[in-house]
Amino acid sequence: MPDVPRLRAALLHWYDQDARDLPWRTGPAARGVGARPDPYRVWLSEVMLQQTTVSHAAPYFLAFTRRWSTVGALAAVEEGELMAAWAGLGYYARARNLLRCARAVAGEHGGAFPDTEAGLAALPGVGPYTAAAVAAIAFDRPANVVDGNVERVMARLFAVETPLPAAKPELKRLAGTLVRDERPGDWAQALMDLGATICTPRNPACDRCPVRAFCAGVSSGAPQRFPRRTRKAPRPERRGIAYVLTRGGEVALVRRPGEGLLGGMLGLPTSEWTDVAASPPPRPAPGAWREAGEVAHVFTHFSLALRVLTSEGGDAQALAEDAIWTPAAQAAQALPTVFRKVLKAALASA
Ligand code: SF4
């Protein structure tokens, strides 16, 4: 077990000097003179950052907070408007949960987020990670904030041989041994910064690492060997057909069913997405179609190849009985990434 007080002092000292400047962050200098983070901004950033990089999430965060500067303002928005603003961030169930949570905070909690990990975890759509992160960062509660970055740092610091995912409870327990009542928000963010900038997945910069002296992984001579992983099953492949129907400068969009993948989002009409291994390729809908190439997209649980077919007017319009005709430029903004790719391929082939 490393000397925890010295390890903590080294990492917090590094954070005081080198903390990343992030749009949602109240940095250590500001905290030092009494500035407090806005829980709404902390919560919003944590939801956006799940499965999304900082550079991808930052413009969305800025746009959201310009448009809805408080949780009350966000709670009042129509779901369709929120989904359109979220388009491109992926994992769309998060956007619906965001709205449920905002409405609960604005309604049942009078506009103030609960200030404990348990209170936050009781909000709709707030999972254990987000509850811990908001409790630590916004309210300085000594919560154990463990995401994939922190798991990697722990696996290296302690040279954990158990492979992921079985190692998760052990990594969480080890992270918990380093949490103290002193500066919990800064501690959580210092670990996040270490994982994001120094102890990176492929090439950890151990020579610049503030906790190198305490790291069993670097002592082993091969820190990048950690975390160990169980070999994953290959990702299943699916295929389908996406239809781009145009009429003048407009494109036919459809609202996807509320539940399931990309639920409630705007999309383009498609065939069923069938399993490559088990099903024959889908047949195109009747109509006069032109081929516009193929688009690949990777979701968490499968990869998808979409054959793109386009039609300008004609009998294929029958496919778009429930269409929401939308100017092409506006459609590109409102669509999730997979459909943006399809629309781009179709327009490029025109
Ligand atoms: S010394 Fe290297 S492996 Fe260990 S925590 Fe630092 S960057 Fe990660």
Side-chain angles (χ1 to χ4, degrees), residues 248-331:
E250 292 182 323
V251 182
L253 305 187
V254 290
R255 177 75 63 190
R256 294 179 60 82
E259 297 304 316
L261 189 72
L262 308 175
M265 299 295 296
L266 284 172
L268 292 160
T270 72
S271 67
E272 292 286 309
W273 298 350
T274 57
D275 195 326
V276 167
S279 325
R283 295 156 65 105
W289 297 105
R290 185 169 56 75
E291 295 280 347
E294 192 169 288
V295 159
H297 190 75
V298 178
F299 292 99
T300 314
H301 299 298
F302 65 94
S303 57
L304 176 67
L306 282 177
R307 178 180 165 199
V308 182
L309 298 180
T310 73
S311 173
E312 168 77 34
D315 55 354
Q317 301 295 339
L319 194 71
E321 270 169 10
D322 301 327
I324 304 161
W325 287 98
T326 310
Q330 198 178 316

Side-chain angles (χ1 to χ4, degrees), residues 153 156-157 194 198-200 204-207 209-213 215-218 223-224:
V153 173
R156 290 175 177 169
L157 263 180
L194 186 74
I198 303 272
C199 196
T200 52
C206 301
D207 50 341
C209 178
V211 294
R212 181 188 171 100
C215 181
V218 82
Q224 66 281 7

Side-chain angles (χ1 to χ4, degrees), residues 5 8-9 12 140 142 179-187:
R8 283 180 50 89
L12 285 167
D140 256 337
V179 175
R180 296 289 184 274
D181 288 339
E182 182 206 353
R183 301 180 64 187
D186 285 347
W187 175 254

